[in-house]
Amino acid sequence: MIRELEFQLLCQRHRDEVYRYARGLLRNQADAEDATQEALLRLWKHLPKINLFSTRAWLFKTTRNYCLDLIRLQSRGATPPATDQDFVEDWPDDLALDPSAAADSTFRLEQARRLLLKLPEGLRSVFILYEVNGLRYREIADVLGIPMNTVKVNLLRARERLSRLLPTVKEEKWTTSCKD
Amino acid sequence: MDDQLQRLVRELRSESCPPQVMDRVAQRIAREKGLRLRHAWRWAVALMILLVALGAWQKQAGRNAQRKAAVLEVKARADRARVAEQTAGALGYIGQALLEVAAQSQDSILKEAVPPLREGLETTKNKMIKNI
C-alpha cells in the first residue's frame, strides 16, 4: 500500500520530466511514450531498492539507457535513423505558411523539438536536463556519467549551436509562430 | 541566453506526459500483480497437495513400522525361548558329563591310588616297629 502511494507520488512528480527527456532523445512520440512507460515500470520494480533521494537521477539514467538502446536497435534495423538533412527536409513548410497552424502551440513545440534533434545526443541530453527539466550540474553529471566541467562545456556548446541554428534555419517560421 | 532560445526552452517545458502512458503503466502493474497472485495461488495449492501427500505417506510408514515391530517382537520372543531351551539342554549335558567324570575319577582313585598308598603306609609302619 505504501509502495503504491510512493510510486504514485513519484510518478506525478517526475513523469513529465521523464517524458520530456525521452521526447528530446527520440524522434518518435510513440517511442518516447514507450520509454516513459518502461522507465516508470522499472521504477515500480526497483522501488524498494532505490534510494529516495536519488530517484530523479535514477529515472533519467534509466530513461537514457532505454532510449540509447532503442536508437542502437533502430540503427541496426531496416530503417536507419534520419540525419539532420532529413529533418531540414521534413520541416513542415505547409504548416508554417498556414497562420492558424502556425499559431498552434503544438506546431511550435514540434519546431522546437526538431531544432533540438539537430544537436548530438550528448549536448542534447545536457540541454534538456538543465534547461528544460531544471537539474543541477552535479545531478546531470551523475545521470550522464561525465565530469561536472564537461556538463558545463556541453551546455555552453548546446546553447551556442541552438542560438546559431535558431536564426539561420527558418528564422521567419520560428518568430512568426512564436508571436501569438 | 537569447530571447529565441528562451522561447524554445519555454515551448519544450510546456510539454507534458500523455495520460495514456500512466494508464498503460497502471494496467501493466495490475497485470503483473494479478500474475503474481495467480502464481502464489498455484504455489499454495501445490504446497497443500505436497503436505497432504507427505502426511499420508508418513501415516502409512508409521503403520508399516508398527506392523514390522510387532512381527519382530514375536520372532524375538520365540528366539529367546529357543535359546533358553538350548542353553538348558547344553547345561544338562555338561552336568551329566561332569557327574560321569566324577564317578570315573572316584573309581580310578580307589583302584589305582589307594592300594599303593596303603602298601606304603604298611611298609613304613612295619619298619618303625622293627626299629623300636
Side-chain angles (χ1 to χ4, degrees):
Chain A
M1 192 64 198
I2 295 168
R3 191 181 167 193
E4 272 94 349
L5 205 67
E6 195 182 332
F7 179 70
Q8 273 180 2
L9 284 172
L10 287 170
C11 281
Q12 273 174 10
R13 201 171 162 194
H14 299 302
R15 65 183 175 194
D16 290 340
E17 295 177 334
V18 171
Y19 176 73
R20 268 180 232 139
Y21 185 43
R23 195 73 182 94
L25 292 182
L26 302 165
R27 282 195 64 197
N28 195 325
Q29 188 188 340
D31 285 348
E33 284 179 12
D34 284 349
T36 312
Q37 185 185 323
E38 195 56 39
L40 293 176
L41 280 170
R42 283 182 195 177
L43 174 70
W44 166 256
K45 268 182 202 163
H46 297 99
L47 195 57
K49 288 179 251 167
I50 300 170
N51 181 0
L52 270 180
F53 295 105
S54 58
T55 313
R56 201 182 184 198
W58 186 92
L59 261 173
F60 285 123
K61 225 183 276 185
T62 309
T63 311
R64 183 169 186 258
N65 289 341
Y66 180 86
C67 292
L68 294 184
D69 283 347
L70 198 70
I71 292 166
R72 236 172 272 144
L73 260 174
Q74 283 172 349
S75 68
R76 270 188 228 146
T79 50
T83 59
D84 288 353
Q85 191 55 41
D86 294 334
F87 296 142
V88 175
E89 281 165 12
D90 283 350
W91 200 264
D93 289 312
D94 48 340
L95 282 172
L97 293 171
D98 179 8
S100 60
D104 187 9
S105 68
T106 317
F107 171 72
R108 288 203 311 270
L109 193 63
E110 187 59 31
Q111 273 189 319
R113 220 180 275 134
R114 278 166 193 275
L115 272 176
L116 205 62
L117 280 168
K118 288 175 191 292
L119 297 180
E121 188 275 321
L123 302 189
R124 213 187 317 157
S125 276
V126 172
F127 185 81
I128 298 166
L129 291 175
Y130 186 85
E131 297 289 0
V132 182
N133 285 336
L135 266 78
R136 279 171 293 186
Y137 291 130
R138 207 186 317 131
E139 287 175 309
I140 299 171
D142 184 31
V143 171
L144 302 178
I146 53 173
M148 221 156 78
N149 282 334
T150 315
V151 174
K152 290 177 188 173
V153 171
N154 282 357
L155 183 65
L156 269 176
R157 282 185 190 155
R159 279 179 187 156
E160 277 171 11
R161 283 212 195 176
L162 281 173
S163 299
R164 253 184 280 136
L165 283 168
L166 272 167
T168 52
V169 183
K170 319 282 180 180
E171 186 181 10
E172 68 286 353
K173 281 180 200 169
W174 177 254
T175 48
T176 316
S177 61
C178 285
K179 285 175 191 165
D180 25 44
Chain B
M1 204 159 58
D2 63 25
D3 205 32
Q4 282 190 325
L5 204 56
Q6 274 180 356
R7 270 188 212 142
L8 181 135
V9 169
R10 218 178 299 134
E11 289 302 330
L12 289 170
R13 273 186 199 155
S14 68
E15 205 167 18
S16 58
C17 180
Q20 68 262 24
V21 174
M22 286 316 295
D23 292 345
R24 269 185 275 160
V25 169
Q27 274 173 9
R28 281 271 297 270
I29 289 171
R31 206 187 311 152
E32 260 177 42
K33 268 187 192 171
L35 267 176
R36 208 175 298 159
L37 205 69
R38 214 178 301 156
H39 281 307
W41 177 243
R42 279 179 194 165
W43 275 110
V45 169
L47 197 71
M48 280 283 277
I49 290 169
L50 197 73
L51 283 174
V52 167
L54 202 71
W57 178 73
Q58 268 197 335
K59 209 173 174 182
Q60 188 64 35
R63 251 184 239 157
N64 284 348
Q66 271 182 348
R67 209 177 296 153
K68 264 185 194 170
V71 168
L72 279 175
E73 181 62 34
V74 169
K75 203 179 168 189
R77 217 177 289 155
D79 282 351
R80 276 200 297 271
R82 202 177 68 234
V83 167
E85 201 179 312
Q86 283 176 354
T87 309
L91 285 174
Y93 180 76
I94 291 166
Q96 188 64 36
L98 282 173
L99 281 175
E100 280 173 17
V101 167
Q104 278 181 2
S105 306
Q106 198 181 4
D107 280 355
S108 35
I109 288 167
L110 285 174
K111 284 176 187 170
E112 289 166 23
V114 171
L117 196 66
R118 195 182 289 158
E119 275 173 25
L121 283 171
E122 283 291 323
T123 313
T124 312
K125 191 180 82 181
N126 290 336
K127 276 180 186 173
M128 283 174 75
I129 290 168
K130 272 181 194 173
N131 284 335
I132 293 168

